[in-house]
Amino acid sequence: MGTHQDQFRGFAEYNRTFNRRLYEVAAELPDEVRKQDRGAFFGSVHATLNHILLADRVWLGRFSTVFPALASLQGAEVLHGFGSLADELYADFDALRRARAETDDVLVAWVEELDETLLAQTMRYRMSSGRERVHPAWVAAAHLFNHQTHHRGQITTLLYQLGKDPGVTDFIAYVHTTA
């Protein structure tokens, strides 16, 4: 087991745990409040949650194309294309929540398949703009988890502004509470 593998395994579990907590807190809000534009990059809590799911599925789609033997991604809900990073995958919050949980389970299974050899391989794909990107697979995996954290931080801020406290969100705090 390598350092990247341990790190990604930890990030996948943290991601799943924190997403559950975030969705529990968001579920306390009325739908119209969750969907109200609050001036965040994607506008609302709901739209930002949708964006995170969309981006995760796009990245998993890229991995499934570059590494088609990954069993965890065969039959999983992944995206190979999209119109906009603001596309709404699910208007219904409960459907979005179920899809998030399913994708988190896929992410946990996916990181179990990652090894140092795969992570060192080159990923070559096209962005939605058509521009080609080339980099080691570990960079894409790291970006996937960093991207989630970035946007969950925005949601956390929106929730605080709405009087809801999702609790401590630091990865290091999570590691120490689960050790």
Side-chain angles (χ1 to χ4, degrees), residues 5-6 10 20 25 27 30 33 35 42 130-131 141 169 171:
Q5 293 160 291
D6 290 339
R20 284 181 188 151
V25 174
V33 172
K35 291 182 176 179
F42 288 97
R131 185 172 159 219
T169 62
F171 177 70

Side-chain angles (χ1 to χ4, degrees), residues 1 5 9 13 72 106-115:
M1 179 96 27
Q5 293 160 291
R9 183 179 287 118
E13 289 294 343
S72 60
V106 169
L107 285 166
V108 168
W110 170 70
V111 298
E112 291 300 325
E113 289 189 90
L114 302 180
D115 61 30

Side-chain angles (χ1 to χ4, degrees), residues 57-79:
R57 287 182 172 182
V58 166
W59 279 107
L60 291 174
R62 289 172 179 158
F63 269 92
S64 72
T65 299
V66 175
F67 305 107
L70 290 170
S72 60
L73 302 182
Q74 294 173 8
E77 289 285 333
V78 301
L79 290 173

Side-chain angles (χ1 to χ4, degrees), residues 8 16 28 30 33 38-39 49 52-53 57 68-69 77 89 117 127 129 137 150 153 159 164-165 167 178-179:
F8 294 141
R16 178 165 52 183
E28 297 172 6
V33 172
R38 308 198 78 67
L49 290 169
I52 297 169
L53 180 62
R57 287 182 172 182
E77 289 285 333
L89 298 177
T117 301
M127 297 173 35
S129 66
H150 167 71
L159 291 172
K164 301 293 182 183
D165 182 359
T178 59

Side-chain angles (χ1 to χ4, degrees), residues 9-158:
R9 183 179 287 118
F11 286 165
E13 289 294 343
Y14 164 75
N15 170 65
R16 178 165 52 183
T17 299
F18 193 70
N19 278 336
R20 284 181 188 151
R21 186 176 344 146
L22 205 58
Y23 273 80
E24 285 172 10
V25 174
E28 297 172 6
L29 300 170
D31 200 48
E32 61 274 3
V33 172
R34 260 193 318 270
K35 291 182 176 179
Q36 182 181 18
D37 188 333
R38 308 198 78 67
F41 192 81
F42 288 97
S44 68
V45 170
H46 188 91
T48 306
L49 290 169
N50 253 291
H51 168 73
I52 297 169
L53 180 62
L54 179 138
D56 286 354
R57 287 182 172 182
V58 166
W59 279 107
L60 291 174
R62 289 172 179 158
F63 269 92
S64 72
T65 299
V66 175
F67 305 107
L70 290 170
S72 60
L73 302 182
Q74 294 173 8
E77 289 285 333
V78 301
L79 290 173
H80 296 288
F82 58 95
S84 160
L85 290 171
D87 283 356
E88 184 174 63
L89 298 177
Y90 300 94
D92 178 73
F93 180 75
D94 291 330
L96 177 63
R97 190 176 189 177
R98 282 189 301 276
R100 174 75 266 168
E102 291 167 5
T103 298
D104 287 344
D105 290 344
V106 169
L107 285 166
V108 168
W110 170 70
V111 298
E112 291 300 325
E113 289 189 90
L114 302 180
D115 61 30
E116 293 303 318
T117 301
L118 184 144
L119 290 167
Q121 290 184 42
T122 299
M123 280 189 73
R124 182 181 305 270
Y125 59 91
R126 295 215 175 268
M127 297 173 35
S128 59
S129 66
R131 185 172 159 219
E132 185 178 60
R133 283 278 169 100
V134 180
H135 49 72
W138 73 263
V139 171
H143 172 74
L144 182 149
F145 290 114
N146 185 64
H147 178 264
Q148 295 167 351
T149 301
H150 167 71
H151 286 296
R152 279 196 308 262
Q154 293 173 338
I155 294 168
T156 300
T157 298
L158 295 175

